[in-house]
Amino acid sequence: MIAYTCKYVPAELFAGFGETAVKLNPTVENFEEADRLSHRNLCSYARALLQTCREQHVKNLVLTTCCDAMRRTGDVLAAAQGEDAFLFVLDLPHADGPCARSRYAAELHRLVDALAAHFGKAFDLEACRAAFADREALPQEPYLALLGARSHDALLQMLQKELPFPVRDLTCVGSRLLPQPPQTDNLNAFLEWYAGALLEQIPCMRMTETAQRRSLTEDPQLRGILYHTVKFCDYYGFEYAQLQAHARLPMLKLETDGTSGAEGQLRTRVQAFAESLPQQKQHRAPISFASQGRCTAGIDSGSTTTNVVILDASGKIAGSSIVPTGARAAVSAHNALEQALRQANLERGQLDEVVATGYGRAYLGTGGRDVTEITCHAKGAFYLDSSVRTIIDIGGQDSKAIRLDDTGAVKTFVMNDKCAAGTGRFLEMMARVLELSMEEMSNCGLHWKEEISISSMCTVFAESEVVSLVAQSKSTADIVHGLNNAVAAKAVSLAARVNPQERFMMTGGVAANRGVVKAISEKLGAPLRVVPEHQLCGALGAALLALENP
Amino acid sequence: MNAAVEKFGRIVDRQLEQRPKLARGLLTTAYRLNGWAGRHVFKKTTPARLELASVCNDVIIRPFVHPQQSVMVSLFTPCELLQTFGMAPMFPEALSAYLSGAGAERGFIDAVEKRGIPETFCSYHKILLGAAETGVLPKPRFIFNTTFVCDANTLSFRRLAKFYGVPHFVLDVPNGQDEAAVTYVAEQLRDCGAKMSSLLGKPLDETALRQAVQRSGQTLAAYQAYLKVRAQKSMPDEMTSEMYAVFALHVLLGSPEALRFAQGILQGAEDAPARGKEVRLLWVHTLPHLDTAMIDLLDFNPQCQILANDVCFDAPAVTDFSDPWRAMARRLVENNLNGPAQRRIDAVLTKAKELHPDGVVWFCHWGCHHTGGAAQLARAQLEAAGFPTLVLDGDGCDRSNCPPGQMTTRMQAFLELLEGKHDSVHL
């Protein structure tokens, strides 16, 4: 068995030595060993690879010099692996001209010689040629493409499960397609052809010439793009930025960090994307409250609060509640629902439908459907103001920007990463450092005098920055204003990625912070509407969905 | 950061979206003043370094004022070719260092992150992209970069060539150090030379090119000679001097100014007093020269001196100039930073044995996988050879990646340990 990680590796060649080729797409529990040997700012795929090779004692591995991280991974493994291990790093050209092909053919020859020496076997060209699979025919049915950097296997499985179309793995290592080899017994001629065939594949982003990648997004059967990036892998962030500016298809960005954590957040994004796909929209029925004659509830189980909205038969809010989410989301949901029912003067049995949303949505046991908070916030915001086209939602642990079309459907959305930067939790922690209540913090930042920049958005480092500003006797109002500006910059940067258009609405708990709202509005250069129900928007959307689609 | 600089940076920031030309004007004026002050007011460092600082200042201003005579390049691009055509280079490391020196890096970084560029990307390149895409940095005549060492080169310059709609020349530099690799690069260089000649409507003067390449060799040889003398001398200086030297020994290589600089500091070292009891450091990679606390620790400190930066002794002093194309290609292919990390580590070890530093600082600039990825490998080998090594995380030009206090605390602790002459340091 010989492991490899890059589509430019001649994986079929291994069969010429009687070895099978195994593509490594690992996820790991932690990066303990990888960080001991290298650096935590290395791309997380490279760290996961390092960790896996060390944990599982991967003996035979062929890498390419495809990126800085992979070059360093090769160096570190070369020093760490034992003498019986086979580690080979192919020098991959950036170009695809005749000179580059000759250079790569020479590299392949070097690999053949090294494998022959390691395994003590002669190379069997016929066995190698037999290992070439038939080129896969292009699908004739609608599909979704997973583009970008290498995805791990668990992600691909989750996508296949959650999405309404088949998902084709067209990531840098997934899109490996080679033609059948020529009939030749001449090893040099074969390797010249092989090098050409490898370099001729749809180029990965590290190649000098990448125009051919356009073919990945121009297939008429393509219905949407899932764009995968890996933390600290910069190649595909650039292509995503380019596609985002000119996307004609629904597109969702997914970033993973080589670990199996944050699955819930990823699933939320994927489900929201599925809800926004055109095929899904066809099934939407327009809301016609007068004909329904029913009562429904929406429960938004967030990280900080659990919110409930009950709609009466005419589609008006009959009751609502906001309670802190405790240790058990289901108990909080039950309490919040009871509270809202009391306000609406209704019994649980009088509710025809309950839809759950938010992080805890799948675990509430309400017996109803669950829908992502992206769809629900869009629904709720559009219901409250049908002129809204861009929503900025900052909650306890995440922030989102959602773009709506003229009918109120989600056109595109982005979410922050796992980090708490720019969220309600960030502000809460800073308020604690400044010994302010959230209410005091909301007002305090409006009365600033000196402009202060908070450069660090990492919660931990921002805390030391705030402590240092306090030590310098800077006024609390000025520090809070600096914090508000930092959160606003993050929110506006997020919004910029959805091609924002007026009118803007802010939802979520942080919308209660007047200083933040003012700072965001100033940075947007446009008014930002905050409705009294800003915190209930997700629950309202869920209740509306319950009403709309029994 | 100095309050006036901070205020200036904020003023520039405010102009980026609506009035980029005004921001350009403000920056150009500030750099002109800085150039004047460097020549007439500051004058703290040696004459050779002062003259180089002035040259670098002019290099920064020129693309803003005469963009059509400027070429955007990567740090390792052989620029002798441009000199023969009378074109001036501009490159991310200098531009970004200057913009952060003016307190103005944040706005440029925010501008590109808003456009979807990953925040984990190298901040030198983010600032370059921001300066271009906000309209502050005008369109150059063309772009000429290598794929050498850093992935960011492939990404930034390709994006900018498309953004500006200008011709783009790329030198693919292999990882290996064989003669075939030299030929591969030399042929690409020849091809680039012919295309540039056609684009600019100027014949390529091979004699002038050979002279420039020869000057490059003399410059590198003079710098190596300087380091030999430096090992025995005490020369407190400012951190920024090391960055200027990086510019002279790469992008400005081949110019008479770079040669004058190398010969000048050699002379300066010969005239300097003998080494004293100061703590002497060998630095690897770029320097966080914008961090005030770090400047306080290292600038003109007679008790603590940086002997050299490995990016200043990375290129081999090629002596055969009969074929200037091959000479330039060889300088790239055989550079210490090319190929496996072990080559770079070996070069640092060799230089450490020559310079006898008390410690080595392996600086991991944010987003640089090349340097960060090899950090622990290097530390183990350097410490085994008797050189205490600090792996220091930070950023050469973006303050927000230099956590307040943390970077300096580690540096200060390292210096305290070195002053105590401990045998081994693990931070």
Side-chain angles (χ1 to χ4, degrees):
Chain A
M1 188 273 268
I2 302 176
Y4 72 102
T5 61
C6 168
K7 72 177 177 187
Y8 294 102
V9 166
E12 295 78 9
L13 200 119
F14 308 155
F17 294 98
E19 296 289 325
T20 51
V22 176
K23 186 165 73 182
L24 280 184
N25 267 342
T27 47
V28 293
E29 291 292 317
N30 60 61
F31 294 115
E32 212 171 281
E33 179 71 353
D35 291 353
R36 188 182 70 78
L37 292 171
S38 191
H39 197 279
R40 62 193 153 86
N41 287 3
L42 214 56
C43 110
S44 43
Y45 173 80
R47 292 163 81 206
L49 180 68
L50 259 176
Q51 186 77 23
T52 301
C53 286
R54 299 295 294 151
E55 276 175 1
Q56 298 179 12
H57 308 289
V58 174
K59 287 279 175 217
N60 304 320
L61 178 65
V62 176
L63 303 173
T64 63
T65 55
C66 60
C67 64
D68 290 337
M70 208 50 73
R71 284 197 287 271
R72 294 296 81 96
T73 302
D75 291 332
V76 170
L77 280 174
Q81 302 286 69
E83 280 184 7
D84 58 333
F86 178 82
L87 173 70
F88 196 93
V89 184
L90 284 155
D91 188 3
L92 178 65
H94 286 81
D96 178 24
C99 296
R101 288 179 183 211
S102 291
R103 274 201 67 77
Y104 203 44
E107 279 294 285
L108 300 190
H109 213 306
R110 198 166 64 88
L111 175 61
V112 170
D113 293 344
L115 284 168
H118 180 76
F119 289 110
K121 279 184 192 171
F123 177 59
D124 182 346
L125 179 53
E126 200 48 48
C128 169
R129 281 161 30 89
F132 280 78
D134 283 334
R135 196 193 276 261
E136 192 187 330
L138 283 175
Q140 295 303 308
E141 55 176 2
Y143 70 94
L144 299 168
L146 176 62
L147 293 180
R150 53 188 95 240
S151 85
H152 54 81
D153 299 335
L155 174 67
L156 200 60
Q157 282 162 17
M158 189 265 273
L159 294 175
Q160 298 285 15
K161 188 172 162 233
E162 298 289 347
L163 291 164
F165 298 109
V167 179
R168 286 184 70 201
D169 181 4
L170 300 176
T171 55
C172 69
V173 71
S175 57
R176 192 174 186 282
L177 286 174
L178 297 182
Q180 283 295 312
Q183 292 290 336
T184 177
D185 295 331
N186 182 315
L187 180 61
N188 287 334
F190 170 74
L191 293 179
E192 278 286 334
W193 169 85
Y194 203 174
L198 286 164
L199 291 175
E200 210 173 54
Q201 295 179 90
I202 290 179
C204 96
M205 281 296 284
R206 58 88 68 186
M207 302 307 268
T208 308
E209 186 50 65
T210 56
Q212 214 194 327
R213 289 187 64 80
R214 276 206 299 268
S215 65
L216 292 173
T217 52
E218 288 176 351
D219 186 345
Q221 292 294 349
L222 184 61
R223 293 291 181 271
I225 298 167
L226 297 133
Y227 205 96
H228 180 241
T229 59
V230 176
K231 190 93 177 161
F232 272 106
C233 162
D234 299 319
Y235 275 126
Y236 289 94
F238 270 70
E239 188 182 46
Y240 170 74
Q242 199 184 348
L243 279 176
Q244 187 197 25
H246 307 102
R248 61 174 183 88
L249 289 166
M251 186 164 67
L252 173 69
K253 186 183 181 191
L254 298 167
E255 183 176 276
T256 58
D257 67 355
T259 66
S260 49
E263 249 174 48
Q265 206 203 38
L266 272 182
R267 198 178 295 276
T268 298
R269 292 181 198 210
V270 172
Q271 288 173 347
F273 183 67
E275 286 158 9
S276 73
L277 285 172
Q279 198 194 48
Q280 302 290 307
K281 284 179 197 163
Q282 286 165 13
H283 299 299
R284 284 153 144 269
I287 304 174
S288 172
F289 300 118
S291 62
Q292 303 288 329
R294 333 163 34 241
C295 292
T296 60
I299 305 176
D300 180 358
S301 171
S303 63
T304 311
T305 61
T306 300
N307 316 321
V308 169
V309 165
I310 292 175
L311 294 179
D312 67 14
S314 63
K316 285 192 182 137
I317 297 177
S320 66
S321 64
I322 298 172
V323 304
T325 303
R328 295 177 63 194
V331 173
S332 308
H334 174 78
N335 293 341
L337 185 59
E338 287 299 319
Q339 200 175 311
L341 282 166
R342 274 198 300 280
Q343 197 185 92
N345 206 17
L346 289 170
E347 298 290 325
R348 175 70 177 85
Q350 290 174 271
L351 293 176
D352 289 285
E353 175 90 10
V354 178
V355 167
T357 189
Y359 275 106
R361 66 186 181 281
Y363 312 104
L364 300 186
T366 57
R369 287 181 297 141
D370 61 86
V371 180
T372 63
E373 51 271 37
I374 287 117
T375 301
C376 290
H377 270 271
K379 194 81 182 163
F382 195 74
Y383 173 77
L384 293 166
D385 182 350
S386 61
S387 66
V388 166
R389 293 294 174 273
T390 309
I391 302 163
I392 294 172
D393 168 46
I394 307 184
Q397 71 173 24
D398 72 8
S399 48
K400 313 174 189 78
I402 307 168
R403 246 290 272 132
L404 306 182
D405 67 14
D406 294 346
T407 69
V410 177
K411 206 169 163 65
T412 181
F413 69 92
V414 287
M415 284 173 78
N416 67 327
D417 57 22
K418 280 196 291 186
C419 164
T423 66
R425 187 63 42 87
F426 173 81
L427 285 169
E428 268 176 35
M429 288 186 71
M430 296 308 126
R432 201 175 308 151
V433 175
L434 292 166
E435 297 179 335
L436 295 173
S437 69
M438 292 311 284
E439 179 61 28
E440 286 165 338
M441 194 185 205
S442 168
N443 295 327
C444 183
L446 296 169
H447 309 290
W448 59 279
K449 289 198 173 65
E450 186 193 347
E451 196 155 348
I452 291 176
S453 299
I454 306 285
S455 57
S456 185
M457 276 305 288
C458 166
T459 309
V460 178
F461 292 135
E463 188 173 330
S464 19
E465 205 169 337
V466 167
V467 168
S468 147
L469 288 166
V470 170
Q472 290 168 41
S473 305
K474 297 286 181 188
S475 90
T476 306
D478 294 341
I479 298 172
V480 171
H481 176 65
L483 289 165
N484 290 347
N485 269 339
V487 172
K490 195 92 181 162
V492 172
S493 170
L494 205 64
R497 288 166 51 193
V498 298
N499 186 22
Q501 285 174 25
E502 289 191 51
R503 181 175 183 156
F504 293 93
M505 180 185 276
M506 185 163 168
T507 61
V510 176
N513 187 317
R514 294 191 292 151
V516 171
V517 172
K518 188 162 184 281
I520 294 177
S521 179
E522 281 169 5
K523 285 192 192 298
L524 283 173
L528 183 62
R529 184 160 189 220
V530 179
V531 292
E533 303 88 348
H534 60 86
Q535 205 170 347
L536 291 169
C537 208
L540 172 62
L544 286 166
L545 283 166
L547 202 60
E548 177 186 325
N549 202 8
Chain B
M1 196 191 341
N2 176 308
V5 174
E6 194 174 354
K7 198 166 183 179
F8 176 77
R10 235 176 349 240
I11 293 169
V12 172
D13 259 18
R14 288 197 198 108
Q15 315 308 323
L16 295 186
E17 293 295 332
Q18 303 300 325
R19 289 182 288 184
K21 282 187 184 161
L22 177 60
R24 185 191 305 166
L26 287 169
L27 288 165
T28 313
T29 307
Y31 295 140
R32 282 198 171 115
L33 281 171
N34 181 54
W36 180 87
R39 283 188 297 273
H40 303 288
V41 183
F42 300 151
K43 284 188 176 177
K44 281 198 278 186
T45 184
T46 61
R49 290 200 187 270
L50 266 178
E51 191 193 336
L52 178 64
S54 175
V55 169
C56 291
N57 204 68
D58 292 344
V59 165
I60 289 298
I61 295 171
R62 193 159 163 186
F64 286 108
V65 184
H66 303 293
Q68 283 300 291
Q69 290 162 24
S70 298
V71 180
M72 195 180 273
V73 299
S74 54
L75 183 64
F76 296 95
T77 303
C79 290
E80 292 98 327
L81 201 49
L82 303 181
Q83 290 161 22
T84 60
F85 290 119
M87 303 296 283
M90 64 89 35
F91 54 109
E93 288 77 3
L95 179 85
S96 303
Y98 268 78
L99 290 176
S100 67
E105 84 272 16
R106 197 64 243 162
F108 295 113
I109 292 171
D110 285 346
V112 287
E113 287 183 357
K114 264 186 209 168
R115 288 165 170 82
I117 299 302
E119 62 175 324
T120 55
F121 191 52
C122 166
S123 29
Y124 285 111
H125 283 258
K126 271 196 290 192
I127 297 171
L128 168 77
L129 287 168
E133 295 185 14
T134 51
V136 172
L137 184 66
K139 178 160 92 173
R141 188 73 177 85
F142 59 88
I143 296 176
F144 181 28
N145 67 275
T146 68
T147 60
F148 184 83
V149 170
C150 159
D151 288 345
N153 293 324
T154 307
L155 293 162
S156 299
F157 295 115
R158 180 166 62 207
R159 182 174 164 108
L160 288 178
K162 201 170 171 192
F163 172 78
Y164 283 126
V166 296
H168 185 197
F169 305 100
V170 183
L171 272 186
D172 181 15
V173 183
N175 248 29
Q177 278 71 49
D178 50 289
E179 283 304 304
V182 175
T183 307
Y184 179 63
V185 177
E187 283 175 7
Q188 291 178 68
L189 273 167
R190 263 181 209 280
D191 185 46
C192 287
K195 285 179 179 157
M196 283 175 204
S197 167
S198 160
L199 176 75
L200 298 168
K202 286 182 184 174
L204 175 68
D205 183 346
E206 273 220 27
T207 310
L209 181 67
R210 188 171 294 108
Q211 284 168 350
V213 174
Q214 195 160 1
R215 263 197 304 274
S216 298
Q218 290 167 342
T219 306
L220 292 171
Y223 191 79
Q224 292 287 356
Y226 152 75
L227 286 180
K228 279 198 166 59
V229 181
R230 175 72 179 91
Q232 307 306 325
K233 302 291 180 144
S234 175
M235 298 177 77
D237 215 310
E238 59 182 336
M239 287 173 79
T240 319
S241 289
E242 285 300 326
M243 290 305 288
Y244 289 141
V246 171
F247 304 161
L249 297 163
H250 293 86
V251 169
L252 299 178
L253 212 49
S255 67
E257 292 85 356
L259 179 56
R260 266 206 310 277
F261 159 71
Q263 290 168 336
I265 53 166
L266 171 59
Q267 185 62 54
E270 281 164 352
D271 297 342
R275 60 179 293 184
K277 291 193 167 154
E278 70 270 12
V279 170
R280 295 152 71 86
L281 299 173
L282 179 55
W283 197 276
V284 173
H285 205 45
T286 185
L287 297 110
H289 59 92
L290 50 89
D291 187 90
T292 317
M294 197 63 111
I295 289 169
D296 289 345
L297 277 179
L298 296 172
D299 260 22
F300 298 109
N301 182 352
Q303 268 76 53
C304 177
Q305 297 174 19
I306 297 175
L307 296 170
N309 176 332
D310 87 316
V311 190
C312 291
F313 56 78
D314 56 338
V318 178
T319 49
D320 180 2
F321 312 110
S322 53
D323 182 341
W325 307 102
R326 284 190 77 80
M328 287 187 285
R330 189 175 302 285
R331 209 172 64 221
L332 279 171
V333 167
E334 293 181 5
N335 188 298
N336 298 333
L337 272 58
N338 194 28
Q342 193 57 50
R343 296 190 74 246
R344 185 180 194 179
I345 297 167
D346 287 344
V348 172
L349 260 171
T350 305
K351 202 52 75 181
K353 286 172 186 166
E354 188 180 310
L355 291 167
H356 311 292
D358 295 299
V360 179
V361 179
W362 192 280
F363 184 68
C364 301
H365 166 70
W366 173 260
C368 179
H369 304 162
H370 191 267
T371 309
Q376 297 306 333
L377 207 56
R379 185 170 81 160
Q381 294 184 40
L382 287 163
E383 291 195 337
F387 299 105
T389 301
L390 172 69
V391 172
L392 185 63
D393 290 346
D395 196 305
C397 56
D398 178 0
R399 260 163 278 266
S400 64
N401 289 328
C402 299
Q406 204 201 50
M407 188 169 70
T408 324
T409 303
R410 297 180 73 206
M411 185 71 204
Q412 206 163 353
F414 183 59
L415 296 178
E416 284 163 6
L417 288 163
L418 293 181
E419 281 158 7
K421 304 293 177 201
H422 285 234
D423 290 338
S424 167
V425 182
H426 293 280
L427 292 171

